[in-house]
Amino acid sequence: MKMKPLFEVKAVDREFYERRLRDWLPDKIIDIHTHVWLKRFNKKKDPDAKSRTVSWPSMVADQNPVEHLVETYSLMFPGKSVTPLMFTTIVPDQKLDEANDYVARASRENKFPALIFSHPRWNSGELTRKIKAGGFLGAKSYLSLAPAYLPAKEIRIFDFFPRHQLEVLNKHGLVMMLHIPRDGRLRDPVNLAQMLEIEERYPNIKLIIAHVGRAYCPEDIGDSFKVLAKTRKMCFDCSANTNAETFRQLLETVGPKRVLFGSDMPILRMRTRRICENGFYVNIVPRGIYGDISGDKHMREVNGQEAERLTFFMYEELDAFRRAAHAVKLSAREVEDIFYNNARQLLAKK
């Protein structure tokens, strides 16, 4: 008996992929930004708890086992071979070791590269031992792990990626996947100063700025790319971003050799078209398929033909990047670098 697919691929999706993406994408792809975890690792919902994260990603999937990730690529990328860089997602502190162990096991069994999801309370020795034991290529962390007494708006990078851990990553030439904090996103001067500090003080870290610094709307950019023009090594992934203007300015500033394709799976399975209104991003989604969205200002439902035309978040991201690549006249080889060669070189063990 044939198994039901993980999700439906509709005619609108197939047409979008065939007309805009298939021939433009290289045959081999590395997805530098993916989350894998099991439902049993999830945090129990507390309606009274203050959250440092948006709620909409949890509406897309309550788990993403590695088998689901592989199936997602098969459904979304016919004719392509996709290799993920994996790490877990935000889980309760008491589940973090178990979640990291799952990623390490999935990495070994599938021969996919992986990062540890680090906690700022770990000392240097703990981080070193955990990375070595799991065969990880580096670390990912998140602002929600910063000390609880800090207001979300005041969190800085070194509050969840402390300097003693950066010393470890620098010593061993490891990857640092950085989701920057703060409401100002990429334009925030504190973020920019600390990004530059990491590049200057820890030159052996393979630094990746996730989501192009969360510059999801043009207003998030500010003068950031003028500042970032000073950088020489840090890389940027385009995960969960559909802002073609951000991509264009990024490519013009750092060139194609420091840009990496990333998805942020599984959330890019969402059917959505992202818009910006006065610097605030909104995900337009079909009515009813993501439950009660009334508590999330980043979500808006539509009906009828507008809903029927919506395709995957993944395809919207790729198409936005395709338009930016066309605007700056990237060659086919440079596109291949962004989607495969750059990541392959970055993840290569010395």
Side-chain angles (χ1 to χ4, degrees), residues 50 52 119-121 143-156 158-160 162:
K50 290 184 178 180
R52 290 169 162 178
H119 199 290
R121 68 163 180 257
L143 59 93
S144 62
L145 298 178
Y149 64 81
L150 288 172
K153 295 178 182 294
E154 296 180 17
I155 294 173
R156 300 183 179 196
F158 299 128
D159 293 320
F160 58 96

Side-chain angles (χ1 to χ4, degrees), residues 115-126:
L115 304 180
I116 197 168
F117 208 107
S118 59
H119 199 290
R121 68 163 180 257
W122 296 346
N123 62 37
S124 299
E126 285 178 295

Side-chain angles (χ1 to χ4, degrees), residues 215-216 221 241-251 316-317 319-325 327:
Y216 302 135
I221 297 172
N241 198 324
T242 63
N243 187 342
E245 177 59 18
T246 294
F247 294 153
R248 182 189 67 78
Q249 291 194 38
L250 173 68
L251 289 165
E316 292 287 354
E317 176 192 305
D319 194 52
F321 196 89
R322 181 188 62 81
R323 297 195 307 272

